[in-house]
Amino acid sequence: MKVKRFLLVAGLCATIMSANAQKGVDNGTRFGSGADSIRCLENVSLATSYAKVDNFKDAYPFWKIAYDECPAATKDLYLYGVRIINWQISQEKDPAKLSTLIDDLMAVYDRRIKYFGDDPRYGKDWIIARKAQDYMRLKGESADAAVLYGWLSEAIVEYKEKTDPLAVSLYMFASYKMMEKNESHKGKYVEDFLACSKIYDQQIEAAKTSGDSKEQANLETLKADIERNFAASGAADCATLENIYAAKVEQNKDDIKFLKETLVLLRRVRCQDSEIFFNASEYAHRIEPTAESALGMGKQAVKKEDYVLAEKYFLEAASLATEDDMKGDIYYTIALIAFEDRNYSKSRQYCQKAVDADPTSCMPYLLIGNMYVATASGIYPNDPVLRKCVYYAAVDKFEKARQVNEACASEASRLINTFRSYFPTTEEIFMHPDLEKGKAIAIGGWIGERTIIR
């Protein structure tokens, strides 16, 4: 009697449990309810156990059940799901099946966004970036730029300056591909660059504030990449920017934020001799003088051949500049003006200021060397052998330019080879009582430097 009662109760419980069973995908819970919740937990456990040891073949059937029936159970379903599907893709040879598997992989990312897109660390923007990365890797040249751009635009619009850094980088790549395919996207590509550059600036500043030097370095690398790609894109030509920004500058002449961003862009792509740069500089300088606006005013003064006023603005720009390369460029510009005025001592002084500000700057060394060459005959008008010795000092500068920056290597090498051929010959040195090969010589005149006789 007791046995019958036990079986009856057990059967009733099983019936109730079965009746209450429901999959998580149906009732919106993590694991489901009743027997289905147990089934979910079992499959999650078996799937992750196999996947952890890279046994994706045996992991797949258990993962698929859990993925379909209780997709909100755990992030591990998506962590290992990506690995499982990628493994299947690596094994597949049939193009049609391969295409289906890639779609399946994209769906895994989409479902992760649905159930775990609000994760504070690995949220929607982070997931979209990894989805886009896998899509590009697997599709290769057949990747649809419009699809990529759509995904990543969603992340940029929603997360703004908080957007995952990789998503920002891939967004710029997608925008470039869109422009490559359609010339009319060029203006939007320029706007995307400005927006993404600003995002990176804000993220770099946040990393600095928090003392996260590793993240700061990573962000600076990513920013440098998009700047380099933008400069080489063809969208950065001055004529195109003139067409895009001429009307915008006039429409926004009281918007200091817009004017600053425009000036930064034009300086980065070396469009500082354009009318829009001058106009934007003038409007910005009236509202809030900055290094960028002062630089523009200085260049405008140069165009009008008012070099005294130009130097005034350039010095103001240098005092306001916070970036070493910009400060170095400004001092070098002043050096060029002094050179044109044949004020060689002053030109060299500002060349030195340029390299002090930016030690990677090589153009100032080339300029100093060329000044030495240009003035050699004036320093030793009556001694042709000593005149040739000036070329030793010039070549020293060309060598320095080649050392500090690869950008000057080609021109520096050409100058070195040219002026080495003008060095005094062994016979000329032998016949000159003050000279001895391997010894130091003081070059006179305004140069006033010591060099070695070769």
Side-chain angles (χ1 to χ4, degrees):
M1 187 68 179
K2 288 183 179 179
V3 173
K4 287 182 180 180
R5 187 180 296 120
F6 173 78
L7 292 173
L8 180 63
V9 171
L12 182 60
C13 288
T15 302
I16 293 170
M17 192 171 188
S18 177
N20 291 335
Q22 197 172 15
K23 297 178 179 66
V25 72
D26 295 325
N27 66 10
T29 62
R30 284 185 64 190
F31 305 109
S33 58
D36 283 331
S37 66
I38 296 171
R39 172 182 164 88
C40 173
L41 290 166
E42 287 176 346
N43 282 294
V44 168
S45 178
L46 289 166
T48 55
S49 295
Y50 283 121
K52 280 179 181 178
V53 294
D54 296 341
N55 184 354
F56 301 124
K57 181 179 179 180
D58 289 333
Y60 176 74
F62 301 110
W63 171 82
K64 188 67 166 67
I65 292 170
Y67 174 74
D68 287 341
E69 296 184 2
C70 49
T74 171
K75 280 190 295 186
D76 285 351
L77 282 176
Y78 305 96
L79 173 67
Y80 293 116
V82 166
R83 297 181 192 178
I84 291 168
I85 304 297
N86 267 309
W87 173 80
Q88 290 180 325
I89 289 170
S90 71
Q91 305 300 306
E92 188 56 65
K93 305 299 180 187
D94 181 85
K97 292 180 180 178
L98 193 59
S99 180
T100 298
L101 284 171
I102 293 173
D103 290 341
D104 290 343
L105 180 61
M106 298 300 104
V108 171
Y109 283 113
D110 290 340
R111 188 170 281 197
R112 178 171 178 175
I113 290 171
K114 178 178 179 180
Y115 291 102
F116 296 98
D118 59 352
D119 186 274
R121 187 170 181 182
Y122 303 111
K124 180 179 178 180
D125 57 329
W126 186 95
I127 300 167
I128 288 174
R130 275 69 195 172
K131 174 186 176 182
Q133 197 173 39
D134 264 353
Y135 177 79
M136 289 163 56
R137 175 178 59 83
L138 295 168
K139 288 287 190 178
E141 290 299 318
S142 64
D144 188 332
V147 168
L148 269 175
Y149 190 70
W151 292 343
L152 294 158
S153 295
E154 188 177 343
I156 296 287
V157 169
E158 184 172 340
Y159 288 84
K160 299 179 179 63
E161 74 278 5
K162 302 293 185 182
T163 307
D164 176 75
L166 177 61
V168 178
S169 175
L170 295 178
Y171 176 71
M172 280 306 304
F173 173 80
S175 188
Y176 169 74
K177 286 296 183 182
M178 290 283 286
M179 180 190 69
E180 199 174 45
K181 188 176 180 180
N182 186 346
E183 184 76 9
S184 65
H185 187 78
K186 186 179 281 190
K188 186 66 173 70
Y189 175 67
V190 173
E191 291 176 3
D192 288 341
F193 169 75
L194 287 172
C196 289
S197 186
K198 182 179 178 182
I199 287 172
Y200 278 139
D201 284 341
Q202 291 171 311
Q203 293 180 346
I204 289 168
E205 190 58 37
K208 281 182 183 177
T209 302
S210 66
D212 191 340
S213 57
K214 184 177 179 180
E215 179 64 6
Q216 181 184 338
N218 176 57
L219 289 164
E220 286 172 346
T221 298
L222 289 170
K223 184 184 177 189
D225 284 343
I226 69 166
E227 287 179 341
R228 182 170 56 254
N229 293 335
F230 179 74
S233 68
D237 68 275
C238 298
T240 299
L241 293 176
E242 187 89 41
N243 289 333
I244 293 172
Y245 278 90
K248 289 185 178 182
V249 167
E250 291 302 318
Q251 292 164 5
N252 294 277
K253 61 185 180 183
D254 297 319
D255 184 344
I256 188 62
K257 179 172 173 289
F258 171 84
L259 294 171
K260 283 181 178 179
E261 290 174 353
T262 301
L263 289 171
V264 169
L265 170 65
L266 295 172
R267 178 175 65 84
R268 282 175 178 162
V269 298
R270 305 288 182 183
C271 292
Q272 296 162 291
D273 294 322
S274 63
E275 283 302 315
I276 52 168
F277 186 80
F278 297 150
N279 292 342
S281 298
E282 187 174 347
Y283 295 143
H285 210 71
R286 290 176 189 169
I287 303 169
E288 182 185 324
T290 65
E292 300 285 356
S293 65
L295 181 62
M297 297 297 286
K299 286 184 174 290
Q300 190 172 33
V302 168
K303 190 174 182 180
K304 294 176 181 177
E305 298 184 2
D306 188 342
Y307 299 113
V308 173
L309 182 61
E311 184 175 330
K312 171 183 173 292
Y313 279 123
F314 287 142
L315 289 173
E316 181 182 3
S319 69
L320 293 170
T322 56
E323 299 173 21
D324 292 341
D325 59 340
M326 182 181 184
K327 193 182 289 284
D329 283 346
I330 294 167
Y331 285 137
Y332 177 65
T333 302
I334 298 173
L336 286 172
I337 293 173
F339 172 72
E340 290 296 325
D341 196 35
R342 297 188 180 183
N343 190 338
Y344 301 121
S345 294
K346 181 177 180 179
S347 181
R348 183 174 60 181
Q349 174 192 349
Y350 278 99
C351 281
Q352 188 57 55
K353 282 179 172 288
V355 298
D356 287 344
D358 180 11
T360 67
S361 181
C362 56
M363 293 300 291
Y365 291 113
L366 293 182
L367 180 58
I368 294 172
N370 280 315
M371 285 192 286
Y372 289 176
V373 168
T375 58
S377 60
I379 292 172
Y380 296 109
N382 302 316
D383 193 327
V385 177
L386 285 178
R387 188 182 310 153
K388 291 181 179 180
C389 291
V390 176
Y391 300 138
Y392 294 140
V395 168
D396 289 344
K397 299 304 178 185
F398 300 146
E399 291 277 12
K400 185 67 174 178
R402 186 164 63 178
Q403 290 170 13
V404 299
N405 198 317
E406 183 67 24
C408 288
S410 177
E411 177 62 9
S413 296
R414 185 188 69 79
L415 291 167
I416 289 166
N417 292 333
T418 297
F419 290 101
R420 270 181 180 164
S421 67
Y422 294 124
F423 284 176
T425 64
T426 302
E427 292 77 11
E428 286 174 325
I429 291 174
F430 180 76
M431 295 300 294
H432 205 291
D434 299 332
L435 305 180
E436 184 179 346
K437 189 174 181 179
K439 298 293 185 180
I441 179 175
I443 304 299
W446 76 275
I447 294 177
E449 285 196 15
R450 295 178 71 80
T451 185
I452 302 297
I453 297 171
R454 279 71 137 178

